[in-house]
Amino acid sequence: MKKTGLYLIIASLAAMSIAVSLGLFSMPPERPETEDSFSVERVQKDIKFISSDHHSIIHPEQRNEVRDYLISRLRELGTEPALYSYPDSEGKGYKFDAVNIVGDWAPADIANAGNARLLIVAHYDSRYPWAPVRDTVCSYGAADDGYGVGSALETVTILLRNRESWSQGVRLLLTDAEEVGMVGMKKAYELNPELFEDVGLVINIEARGTYGPVLLFETSPGNDRIMELYEGFSRYPHTYSLTNVVYRMMPNFTDFTIVKDELPGVNFSTISDVNHYHTDKDCFANISTSSIRHYGAQIVPLAEEFVRNPEYADRDSLRGSEDRVFFTVPLLGLFNFSKKGYLVVNIVVLLLMAGMLLMERKKMLSALSWAGLWLLFAVVALIVGEVAAWIGCQVSGAKFALFGTVSGMQFDNALMLGLAVALALVIANMYRRGKVQEKLKGCLILLAVLDIILLAVLGENLFVLIPLAVSSLVILLWKISGWKLFLPVGMALILLHACSFLYDLSMALTVGAVGAVLLIATFEFAAAIGLAALFCSEER
């Protein structure tokens, strides 16, 4: 095998994939702002004031200053805000007065308006004091939830410029005391049901970190109609239906949690990284204009279509009958399937896989043994990853949580990246030793088995389906046409998905679950690097 060629291909495509994982292809580029465009500058201005000091529930004076500022901003937008006070509230051992702020805008032509409202939600309190490692810290709330509040205000600003075209009205709910158990939202939903009775779509805006792509990470159940709306109008979409499954397993909640089972809606957030989340690093100096711009690119077109289109005049118009399976691939966009459609795709991929194996029946016993070896290798990668995370926690003083959220390890991202690079190099070295086709076929056989199991158990399997589909297709095309160039193209497609997905997964799960990320990365890398190795080998 041409050793230099293999590593050159891996290095060049890895560089492209790192660019993808940093959001260079999934986030909107910086452009000169126009009067009608989503203004990052205006959002920054709001965030700067909101995050000028700590304003958690134990900082009542500073929280009052933020509240007064937001009241003045809503008045600038042409509404007299309503304040909903909930005295003597409790959460996380604290007692406080919670105050929600509500702005309401009806369509200009009320006579022909529908009975639905767009509800945009963000919270204006920051994180209360806590000790992620040794020192007790407070957040300044620049991202969580200055991103949400600023983006919500800017979205309303854009919508109001075409108010005469509205069929539906807009309601902005800025909640208090979200950080201590969604107290403001819980109180509102319990004591002020009139705020929700006419809501046809909820857009909740959150942040779990200060940078990176903005992820649509959660939807309400029965999301088929919502995803059609999102697919048709949001720009630079970034989402996976798998995150709905993962998020339900994690001990995290947002204001959206309170209403998602009753109202159609979507939940957006940045997820990079945990050490900027709920700490003093969540400050104005660390905000990302790229992330703010990505909020606007996804949320504003979605909101504009909902308020303008008479189709959504009925508040039940977005209540769907089934959940979709969907995911995005950088440069290629959003793939959105019905359950039946996704099943058909899986069947077609498995047939492709079977066709490829029929064309390459040699040494099948060896390929089957390699399927078992790849599974064993993935389990070893999982164990090595968790041991490395444990050692990192001992060195840094962070508290280790097996497959749990770990914060306070300042070199966690470097550790995860280093482990991923080491994994790729080990896999490349395995292929360099020869028998490339046997090893790659073994990988694909394992992927096919996992494809069936995951689809039956979870209904989600994109991290095995994509490498299985692409590898089977390009190998078949190569065998039929004789053109080996299909193989590096296949590797590039797998890595486009893999690096973006694995980056999001590692940021969401943190270094405490790096072993699980490496296990999944083994399947993706074994397929992608196997295609590169096959391209560089003399095997036919």
Side-chain angles (χ1 to χ4, degrees):
M1 179 185 297
K2 306 168 193 172
K3 176 180 176 182
T4 304
L6 172 60
Y7 287 122
L8 279 175
I9 289 175
I10 292 173
S12 60
L13 293 178
M16 176 195 68
S17 300
I18 290 171
V20 168
S21 69
L22 294 176
L24 298 185
F25 298 131
S26 57
M27 299 168 72
E30 183 177 0
R31 293 190 178 98
E33 293 183 357
T34 65
E35 185 178 344
D36 296 328
S37 66
F38 183 93
S39 173
V40 173
E41 185 177 339
R42 282 194 295 264
V43 176
Q44 284 180 289
K45 182 180 177 182
D46 287 329
I47 294 173
K48 188 171 186 179
F49 186 94
I50 291 168
S51 63
S52 59
D53 205 345
H54 307 300
H55 49 284
S56 73
I57 49 94
I58 73 158
H59 301 97
E61 292 184 9
Q62 293 87 342
R63 206 159 97 261
N64 286 343
E65 290 177 2
V66 171
R67 185 183 306 127
D68 290 342
Y69 174 80
L70 296 175
I71 290 170
S72 68
R73 287 287 286 114
L74 290 181
R75 286 171 177 160
E76 290 174 6
L77 294 174
T79 188
E80 184 57 38
L83 302 182
Y84 292 80
S85 299
Y86 311 102
D88 301 320
S89 297
E90 297 184 21
K92 301 294 183 181
Y94 298 102
K95 290 187 176 182
F96 48 88
D97 294 338
V99 182
N100 291 342
I101 309 167
V102 177
D104 224 320
W105 298 265
D109 185 4
I110 298 179
N112 295 313
N115 67 349
R117 279 285 194 279
L118 168 64
L119 178 64
I120 305 176
V121 182
H123 70 88
Y124 69 90
D125 62 311
S126 63
R127 175 71 173 195
Y128 57 88
W130 71 302
V133 183
R134 289 173 290 272
D135 301 324
T136 299
V137 295
C138 292
S139 168
Y140 289 94
D144 182 21
D145 196 24
Y147 281 174
V149 174
S151 297
L153 290 170
E154 182 62 13
T155 298
V156 173
T157 300
I158 300 297
L159 293 176
L160 285 170
R161 289 182 178 148
N162 294 289
R163 190 173 183 177
E164 68 282 353
S165 66
W166 291 8
S167 291
Q168 288 65 252
V170 176
R171 181 171 297 130
L172 175 59
L173 172 57
L174 302 176
T175 63
D176 194 2
E178 188 271 351
E179 296 289 0
V180 289
M182 299 80 67
V183 172
M185 179 61 94
K186 286 179 179 177
K187 294 284 188 180
Y189 198 61
E190 176 186 356
L191 301 176
N192 304 106
E194 69 277 7
L195 294 176
F196 305 94
E197 288 172 350
D198 57 356
V199 170
L201 176 65
V202 179
I203 298 178
N204 191 69
I205 314 175
E206 264 289 355
R208 186 186 176 271
T210 59
Y211 63 91
V214 174
L215 184 69
L216 169 56
F217 70 97
E218 187 180 22
T219 70
S220 52
N223 57 30
D224 49 345
R225 295 179 183 176
I226 290 174
M227 288 310 301
E228 288 173 5
L229 176 62
Y230 178 76
E231 180 181 21
F233 295 94
S234 285
R235 298 191 300 272
Y236 294 90
H238 189 62
T239 185
Y240 308 97
S241 53
L242 182 62
T243 59
N244 272 313
V245 178
V246 173
Y247 193 71
R248 283 195 292 267
M249 300 177 182
M250 297 176 68
N252 301 94
F253 307 92
T254 69
D255 281 336
F256 186 60
T257 305
I258 309 304
V259 300
K260 70 178 182 179
D261 290 332
E262 302 297 330
L263 300 174
V266 286
N267 205 356
F268 293 92
S269 180
T270 52
I271 57 173
S272 308
D273 74 6
V274 71
N275 291 323
H276 288 73
Y277 177 57
H278 287 169
T279 73
D280 51 359
K281 290 184 178 181
D282 184 3
C283 59
F284 185 75
N286 287 330
I287 66 172
S288 165
T289 56
S290 296
S291 296
I292 295 171
R293 194 175 298 111
H294 201 195
Y295 278 110
Q298 294 189 80
I299 293 171
V300 170
L302 188 72
E304 286 180 324
E305 173 62 14
F306 179 83
V307 298
R308 289 179 183 177
N309 194 333
E311 177 184 340
Y312 305 114
D314 183 345
R315 66 183 296 268
D316 295 323
S317 60
L318 286 175
R319 295 182 186 276
S321 57
E322 70 165 8
D323 285 330
R324 289 294 184 102
V325 179
F326 51 87
F327 53 86
T328 47
V329 177
L331 298 179
L332 302 183
L334 175 65
F335 296 81
N336 181 15
F337 302 94
S338 66
K339 293 286 187 180
K340 290 181 180 178
Y342 195 65
L343 177 60
V344 170
V345 168
N346 277 267
I347 292 172
V348 170
V349 168
L350 290 171
L351 289 174
L352 277 175
M353 165 69 178
M356 184 269 294
L357 290 179
L358 285 173
M359 293 185 69
E360 288 294 329
R361 294 189 295 272
K362 299 176 183 177
K363 300 183 179 179
M364 282 298 296
L365 187 61
S366 177
L368 288 170
S369 66
W370 268 104
L373 289 172
W374 281 121
L375 180 60
L376 177 62
F377 185 88
V379 173
V380 171
L382 183 151
I383 295 170
V384 169
E386 291 306 302
V387 170
W390 179 82
I391 294 172
C393 286
Q394 304 312 303
V395 171
S396 65
K399 183 179 179 181
F400 177 70
L402 184 65
F403 304 127
T405 301
V406 172
S407 60
M409 185 195 298
Q410 299 306 318
F411 53 87
D412 54 349
N413 292 343
L415 176 62
M416 290 190 286
L417 178 60
L419 289 169
V421 170
L423 176 67
L425 291 174
V426 170
I427 291 173
N429 190 58
M430 290 170 65
Y431 276 115
R432 192 173 63 84
R433 297 173 182 273
K435 300 183 179 179
V436 174
Q437 293 198 56
E438 294 172 34
K439 295 172 183 177
L440 181 54
K441 279 192 289 186
C443 170
L444 298 184
I445 291 169
L446 175 61
L447 291 178
V449 173
L450 292 174
D451 179 280
I452 296 169
I453 293 172
L454 290 172
L455 188 65
V457 175
L458 295 178
E460 295 277 357
N461 61 2
L462 81 143
F463 55 85
V464 295
L465 176 68
I466 291 177
L468 177 62
V470 172
S471 298
S472 299
L473 179 61
V474 297
I475 291 172
L476 273 174
L477 290 173
W478 165 47
K479 292 295 183 179
I480 293 169
S481 68
W483 295 346
K484 259 195 168 183
L485 282 175
F486 282 117
L487 302 177
V489 170
M491 177 184 176
L493 289 173
I494 293 172
L495 287 181
L496 274 172
H497 148 72
C499 288
S500 179
F501 175 71
L502 293 172
Y503 174 83
D504 286 338
L505 192 65
S506 61
M507 290 294 102
L509 299 182
T510 77
V511 72
V514 67
V517 176
L518 292 177
L519 181 142
I520 293 171
T522 298
F523 306 139
E524 305 255 18
F525 289 176
I529 296 172
L531 292 176
L534 194 55
F535 176 76
C536 295
S537 75
E538 301 298 329
E539 297 182 24
R540 295 183 179 275

